[in-house]
């Protein structure tokens, strides 16, 4: 399929992209298992489909960070964009020459995280994200749904591996484990009111900066988290300034980023913290 962003797809294109995403999962998971075997690790022992197994898996990926960035002048192969996993072709706009090893590990991690979540929440269903709302940040994405929630599984793995590739501090050792457990609980919840479908932030690109609107509940009850995200975002590569312009708004100066990159980063950051902070 052409490298069209999910949000710009027709319904028919998005349905085909969902099918492509699901078709890729077994092959990517098998690739991850092969990588483990080639490094002397028994995949049956490590990959037991529990949230806790994501912690040693992430440590193993972190230990291979030197292999993630491609070197066109050296021996590290560059993965051409047309060979990227479909979810990356249809979402990533700013990636710089990632290696084939990066996507072998990353797409394998996406598939394994999917397995962990669907094992813990077997009634979750695959659907197109917010099909009736073209302005929604997950419009036409392949998402897992349940109890009013919709989850784009690659978000957190992509953020974590991209930071490793850039040599930045990445996810905490247990962050994927905690995220998977929170997602499983959210997708399985029956007695609680469904979560708001609104994203935690909305990013608008202005001529010289990004205007970030905070969802009302985050602005009102999670002020300390807002302080934390400002501190963490301010040290990301390409970000020159972040400050709170109002109780429910941030201003971000990041000349090398685009609105979708910033939306994706902030989305992942808040989605794994707000449920645990409540």
């Amino acid at each position: 399929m052409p490298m069209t962003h999910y949000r710009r797809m027709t319904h028919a294109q998005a349905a085909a992209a969902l099918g492509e995403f699901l078709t890729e999962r077994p092959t990517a998971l098998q690739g991850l298992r092969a990588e483990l075997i080639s490094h002397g690790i028994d995949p049956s022992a490590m990959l037991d489909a529990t949230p806790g197994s994501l912690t040693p898996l992430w440590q193993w990926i972190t230990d291979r960070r030197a292999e993630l960035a491609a070197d066109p002048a050296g021996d590290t192969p560059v993965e051409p964009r047309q060979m990227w996993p479909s979810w990356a072709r249809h979402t990533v706009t700013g990636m710089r020459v990632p290696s084939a090893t990066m996507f072998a590990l990353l797409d394998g991690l996406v598939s394994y995280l999917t397995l962990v979540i669907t094992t813990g929440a077997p009634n979750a269903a695959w659907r197109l994200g917010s099909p009736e709302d073209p302005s929604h940040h997950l419009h036409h994405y392949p998402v897992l749904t349940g109890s009013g929630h919709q989850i784009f599984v690659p978000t957190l793995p992509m953020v974590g591996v991209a930071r490793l590739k850039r040599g930045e501090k990445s996810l905490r050792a247990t962050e994927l484990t905690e995220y998977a457990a929170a997602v499983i609980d959210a997708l399985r919840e029956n007695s609680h009111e469904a979560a708001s479908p609104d994203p935690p932030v909305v990013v608008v690109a202005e001529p010289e900066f990004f205007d970030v609107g905070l969802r009302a509940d985050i602005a009102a009850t999670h002020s300390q988290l807002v302080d934390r995200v400002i501190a963490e975002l301010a040290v990301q590569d390409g970000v020159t300034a972040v400050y709170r312009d109002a109780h429910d708004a941030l201003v971000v100066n990041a000349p090398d980023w685009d609105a979708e990159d910033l939306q994706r980063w902030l989305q992942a950051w808040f989605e794994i913290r707000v449920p645990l902070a409540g």
Side-chain angles (χ1 to χ4, degrees):
M1 179 179 292
M3 291 175 279
T4 305
H5 195 282
Y6 287 122
R7 292 177 61 182
R8 293 191 291 271
M9 289 180 179
T10 65
H11 183 85
Q13 288 174 325
L18 171 58
E20 184 179 20
F21 174 82
L22 295 177
T23 299
E24 292 170 340
R25 294 311 97 219
T27 301
L29 184 56
Q30 186 58 39
L32 176 63
R33 294 174 62 88
E35 283 284 332
L36 289 166
I37 291 171
S38 71
H39 284 74
I41 299 172
D42 179 3
S44 298
M46 178 175 278
L47 308 181
D48 64 2
T50 64
S53 64
L54 288 159
T55 296
L57 177 60
W58 179 247
Q59 182 59 60
W60 177 73
I61 291 173
T62 299
D63 290 343
R64 297 184 64 188
R65 70 162 68 219
E67 302 173 55
L68 302 181
D71 180 7
D75 296 328
T76 307
V78 174
E79 188 77 338
R81 189 178 180 92
Q82 62 267 27
M83 299 298 294
W84 295 6
S86 63
W87 63 263
R89 294 198 315 272
H90 299 313
T91 60
V92 177
T93 59
M95 182 65 64
R96 294 177 175 84
V97 290
S99 68
T101 299
M102 172 177 167
F103 273 127
L105 299 179
L106 173 56
D107 204 28
L109 177 59
V110 169
S111 289
Y112 184 61
L113 178 57
T114 296
L115 175 64
V116 170
I117 293 172
T118 54
T119 299
N123 293 324
W126 289 102
R127 305 193 189 283
L128 298 183
S130 298
E132 305 304 324
D133 183 7
S135 67
H136 195 280
H137 71 289
L138 291 179
H139 176 64
H140 281 169
Y141 279 59
V143 294
L144 264 178
T145 62
S147 300
H149 302 271
Q150 50 185 14
I151 306 296
F152 181 57
V153 178
T155 300
L156 186 59
M158 182 71 224
V159 169
V161 172
R163 290 188 207 162
L164 288 179
K165 173 181 171 289
R166 295 193 297 259
E168 301 167 358
K169 182 179 180 181
S170 188
L171 308 180
R172 289 178 290 102
T174 59
E175 199 152 347
L176 278 166
T177 290
E178 293 165 5
Y179 174 73
V183 167
I184 289 168
D185 287 344
L187 293 175
R188 294 178 60 185
E189 69 180 13
N190 294 311
S191 59
H192 298 86
E193 182 180 353
S196 167
D198 294 331
V201 299
V202 174
V203 176
V204 177
E206 301 291 350
E208 302 295 331
F209 59 89
F210 295 104
D211 184 10
V212 179
L214 302 171
R215 198 172 65 203
D217 63 299
I218 292 175
T221 64
H222 295 299
S223 183
Q224 290 185 334
L225 279 183
V226 177
D227 292 339
R228 283 178 55 193
V229 77
I230 289 172
E232 293 190 25
L233 181 57
V235 297
Q236 300 304 308
D237 185 38
V239 177
T240 58
V242 185
Y243 60 91
R244 200 164 184 169
D245 191 45
H247 85 285
D248 61 351
L250 307 179
V251 169
V252 179
N253 291 325
D256 295 335
W257 292 41
D258 61 28
E260 289 177 356
D261 291 334
L262 184 57
Q263 178 82 42
R264 186 164 47 244
W265 192 95
L266 289 167
Q267 179 80 15
W269 197 96
F270 277 111
E271 282 187 346
I272 63 174
R273 290 168 175 83
V274 172
L276 300 176

